[in-house]
Every structure is written in structure tokens, then in C-alpha cells.
């Protein structure tokens, strides 16, 4: 997908040099924030071998809850944010119970999506819209971190990564395994280049946009949880072979529940960030292609539809691929169908590759 992303950028840049300008790259980053956050939650559900179709609409419901409490009721912004996250997790808790009971997650979340489309009408006021312009809620997306602070954060993140790789290097030496300083220098240089390059690009206007920091923090937390904790090991084990995980004593039902709860929290955050960017919440919040784009981003980024394989970073990579196509089509003034054709083709190719890797379709004697 990195190669695909490079090709997409090269094609659109050849048509319009403005595609890779600082301003357009900043716009692209802000455009994919909502999709990336929601795709992050979808990755957790896909990793345990389930799927969700309701989280996009849920994001609109959660945004309506937060906006209603902070704008209409005058409560502090943290209270509204906490209530929205709690609402998202509560809805997913109920759906997870049905999934654990044995109802296919596809059916449960499809029904949940329809119910949530009615629920948002109940949550919204009679005029079916809440404007957040000029309120603290709008600062979620409009706030920016000064360039100096952004570079300091990039430096801290780079040093933390170097310390992490150094710790791994010493662990390998202590166990007698072969280890080279190259495993520290090369990845650290790449991380530093990405972080400082990203900060340099995104702070050319007002500073580092707050939604970008939100996505970065969520990705780092998710990466740590899925790769450095027992929960992460169990997550992949359940998705890889649920029966074997059950025999090994892994709480399968609990892992499925946790994955849906994470998705509920991500949906709430995605909804609030999107409402803050759009300066309002309405009956259309969370509708449109958001759900399709979130699932496509997770799959295109490398997360398997069959569970047990994928990475948290696939949410970001897939969102970049999907968003790059959409951004390029809009920049060049092409018709909407071109965007749909390209996005659908990339998704089909990604799923086909996933099927081949999962089922060994290219091995002799196998189909």
C-alpha cells in the first residue's frame, strides 16, 4: 500500500503540482482525520474476526450528545466529551452482547445502524440541527499547536522510540540472539524523518492542527496496547483461531466485548472531531460514505477481513490511500464517479490479496 500511495501521489502531482503543496497536504490530513479515527476502531473489531456497520451513524449520535450538552445545556466541554464517549461505548456494549449470544455481527450492527438513524432524530432538538460555531466545541478542530511546541513533541516522540529500540536491542543481547545497531539507527532515522517532516509540513500555516495530534495520540496508545500487552496477544489469538484461543484459556467473549467497546469510543471521538470541523451536527452526521471509507481504509491498509492479521497503522495508511484519491479527484475537478471507481478498485484488489494470503489460493493444488 505504500507503493500504491506513492503511485497515487505521483499521478495526481503530474496532473497538478499543487497536489503536494503544503496547503493541500494539510487539507488532505484534515480530511482523513475522521475516517482514520473510525477506521482505528474498526481495526480492533476486524482483528477478532467480526465486522461493524453501525459505528459511522453512532459517531453522529455521539456528536449530537456532546453538542447538546455543551451548546444547548451549557455544560463544560469535558463533560460533553465524556458523555459522548460513554454513550458510544454503551451502544457498542449492547451490540456486543448480541454478538456474543451468537447473532452474526453483520446482522447485529446492520440493525443497530437503522436503530441509530432513528435515535439521532430523538437526540437532536426539534429543528434537527445544532450549530457549534463560536462555542468551545468548535475548538476541538480549530485549535492549533504552535510550531515550537510541535517540534518539541516530535523530538520527545523520537527519543522515546530510540529508547524503545535500545531496550529491544539489549533484550536480544541478554538472550544471546544476534543483534545489530542498525536495528536502532535505521528505524529511528525513519521515524525522525516522518515526524519532523510532518511537523514541518503541517505547521506552515497556523500550527499543528489539534485533530492531527488527537489521531497521533490514539494511534500510539492503540499501538502500545496491541503490541506490548497481554491484551494485544489475546486479540490476535482470538482472531487467528477462536477455538484454539478458547482452549488456551483466553477469554474469547471478553476480547470481543473489549474490541466493540474500543470501537464505540473511537466512533464518539470521530463524531466530535467531524462535528467540530463541520461546525454543527444534523441528521446527516455520520451518514454518506463514512462507514464504507472506514472499513475500506482498514482493509486497504492491511487488516484482514478474516481476523487475526493486521496492524493499527493500517487505519492511517488506508485512510491516506482513500483520502488521497478523494482529494486528488476534487483538486482536479473530476467527476465523483471517478473517485468511486478508483476507491472501489483499490478495495477489491486489497481484499483479493487478503484472500490469497489467508487461504493460500496460489499454492499448487489449492483454490
Amino acid at each position: 500500500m505504500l507503493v500504491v500511495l506513492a503511485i497515487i501521489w505521483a499521478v495526481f502531482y503530474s496532473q497538478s503540482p499543487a497536489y503536494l503543496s503544503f496547503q493541500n497536504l494539510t487539507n488532505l490530513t484534515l480530511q482523513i482525520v475522521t475516517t482514520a479515527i473510525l477506521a482505528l476502531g474498526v481495526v480492533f473489531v476486524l482483528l477478532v474476526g467480526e465486522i461493524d456497520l453501525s459505528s459511522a451513524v453512532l459517531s453522529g449520535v455521539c456528536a449530537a450528545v456532546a453538542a447538546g450538552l455543551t451548546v444547548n445545556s451549557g455544560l463544560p466541554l469535558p463533560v460533553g466529551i465524556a458523555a459522548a464517549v460513554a454513550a458510544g461505548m454503551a451502544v457498542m456494549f449492547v451490540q456486543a452482547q448480541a454478538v456474543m449470544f451468537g447473532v452474526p455481527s453483520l446482522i447485529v450492527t446492520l440493525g443497530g445502524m437503522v436503530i441509530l438513524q432513528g435515535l439521532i432524530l430523538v437526540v437532536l432538538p426539534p429543528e434537527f440541527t445544532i450549530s457549534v460555531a463560536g462555542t468551545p466545541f468548535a475548538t476541538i478542530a480549530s485549535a492549533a499547536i504552535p510550531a515550537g511546541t510541535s517540534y518539541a513533541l516530535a523530538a520527545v516522540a523520537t527519543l522515546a522510540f530510540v529508547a524503545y529500540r535500545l531496550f529491544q536491542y539489549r533484550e536480544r543481547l541478554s538472550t544471546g540472539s544476534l543483534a545489530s545497531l542498525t536495528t536502532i539507527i535505521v528505524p529511528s532515522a525513519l521515524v525522525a524523518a516522518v515526524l519532523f517532516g510532518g511537523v514541518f509540513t503541517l505547521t506552515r500555516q497556523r500550527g499543528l492542527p489539534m485533530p492531527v495530534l488527537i489521531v497521533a495520540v490514539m494511534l500510539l496508545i492503540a499501538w502500545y496496547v496491541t503490541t506490548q500487552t497481554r491484551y494485544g496477544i489475546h486479540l490476535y489469538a482470538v482472531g487467528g483461531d477462536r477455538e484454539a484461543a478458547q482452549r488456551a484459556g483466553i477469554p474469547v467473549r471478553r476480547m470481543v466485548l473489549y474490541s466493540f467497546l474500543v470501537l464505540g469510543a473511537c466512533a464518539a471521538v470521530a463524531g466530535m472531531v467531524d462535528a467540530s470541523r463541520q461546525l454543527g451536527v444534523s441528521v446527516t452526521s455520520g451518514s454518506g460514505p463514512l462507514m464504507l471509507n472506514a472499513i475500506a481504509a482498514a482493509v486497504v491498509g492491511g487488516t484482514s477481513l478474516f481476523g487475526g492479521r493486521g496492524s493499527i497503522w493500517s487505519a492511517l495508511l488506508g485512510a491516506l490511500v482513500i483520502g488521497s484519491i478523494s482529494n486528488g479527484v476534487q483538486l482536479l475537478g473530476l467527476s465523483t464517479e471517478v473517485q468511486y471507481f478508483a476507491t472501489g478498485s483499490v478495495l477489491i484488489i486489497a481484499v483479493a490479496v487478503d484472500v490469497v494470503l489467508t487461504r493460500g489460493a496460489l499454492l499448487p493444488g489449492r483454490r
Side-chain angles (χ1 to χ4, degrees):
M1 283 301 107
L2 286 174
V3 175
V4 171
L5 181 62
I7 293 174
I8 292 172
W9 284 15
V11 169
F12 283 120
Y13 178 75
S14 66
Q15 300 300 311
S16 173
Y19 183 76
L20 294 181
S21 65
F22 291 130
Q23 181 178 359
N24 191 60
L25 288 176
T26 301
N27 292 337
L28 169 61
T29 305
L30 292 175
Q31 287 170 0
I32 69 170
V33 163
T34 302
T35 301
I37 295 175
L38 191 58
L40 175 61
V42 171
V43 167
F44 276 84
V45 172
L46 291 178
L47 284 177
V48 294
E50 304 292 349
I51 196 168
D52 172 80
L53 299 177
S54 66
S55 51
V57 181
L58 177 60
S59 69
V61 173
C62 294
V65 170
L69 291 175
T70 57
V71 177
N72 293 345
S73 300
L75 295 177
L77 181 60
V79 174
I81 293 175
V85 173
M89 296 179 71
V91 170
M92 282 302 175
F93 177 84
V94 174
Q95 293 193 127
Q97 296 301 315
V99 173
M100 292 188 293
F101 183 73
V103 184
S105 57
L106 177 67
I107 303 302
V108 172
T109 57
L110 179 60
M113 177 185 68
V114 178
I115 293 172
L116 290 169
Q117 287 174 338
L119 182 59
I120 193 171
L121 298 176
V122 176
V123 176
L124 288 172
E127 57 271 22
F128 297 123
T129 184
I130 301 176
S131 175
V132 301
T135 68
F137 195 95
T139 61
I140 297 176
S142 63
I145 303 170
T149 305
S150 302
Y151 280 111
L153 290 174
V156 170
T158 302
L159 292 175
F161 182 80
V162 171
Y164 166 71
R165 299 296 294 189
L166 183 60
F167 174 76
Q168 286 187 322
Y169 173 76
R170 290 181 175 177
E171 273 197 335
R172 291 194 185 98
L173 290 181
S174 64
T175 58
S177 303
L178 293 177
S180 171
L181 287 175
T182 306
T183 59
I184 300 176
I185 298 173
V186 174
S188 298
L190 289 175
V191 167
V194 170
L195 290 177
F196 283 96
V199 170
F200 177 77
T201 301
L202 299 176
T203 56
R204 304 297 291 178
Q205 297 177 341
R206 299 186 303 110
L208 184 68
M210 182 60 70
V212 176
L213 182 62
I214 293 174
V215 173
V217 171
M218 293 181 70
L219 285 170
L220 288 174
I221 294 174
W223 168 80
Y224 178 81
V225 169
T226 56
T227 62
Q228 306 299 314
T229 66
R230 182 177 298 179
Y231 167 80
I233 297 175
H234 290 177
L235 188 72
Y236 284 93
V238 170
D241 192 330
R242 188 165 294 191
E243 292 183 3
Q246 186 76 51
R247 290 194 296 269
I250 296 175
V252 173
R253 292 164 60 89
R254 193 185 307 167
M255 297 305 300
V256 173
L257 173 62
Y258 289 165
S259 296
F260 275 95
L261 291 179
V262 170
L263 176 56
C266 289
V269 176
M272 288 184 285
V273 170
D274 187 59
S276 180
R277 289 190 65 240
Q278 303 298 331
L279 296 179
V281 186
S282 66
V283 292
T284 61
S285 296
S287 61
L290 178 58
M291 189 74 255
L292 172 63
N293 286 344
I295 296 175
V299 176
V300 167
T303 301
S304 174
L305 281 171
F306 305 101
R309 190 176 73 247
S311 168
I312 292 304
W313 303 107
S314 63
L316 178 60
L317 178 58
L320 266 175
V321 172
I322 302 298
S324 296
I325 296 174
S326 175
N327 179 272
V329 169
Q330 294 173 9
L331 184 66
L332 297 180
L334 302 177
S335 57
T336 306
E337 54 264 29
V338 174
Q339 173 186 340
Y340 289 146
F341 289 156
T343 303
S345 299
V346 171
L347 177 60
I348 292 173
I349 293 172
V351 174
V353 172
D354 180 36
V355 171
V356 171
L357 294 177
T358 303
R359 299 181 178 178
L362 294 184
L363 293 179
R366 301 180 68 177
R367 295 183 179 179

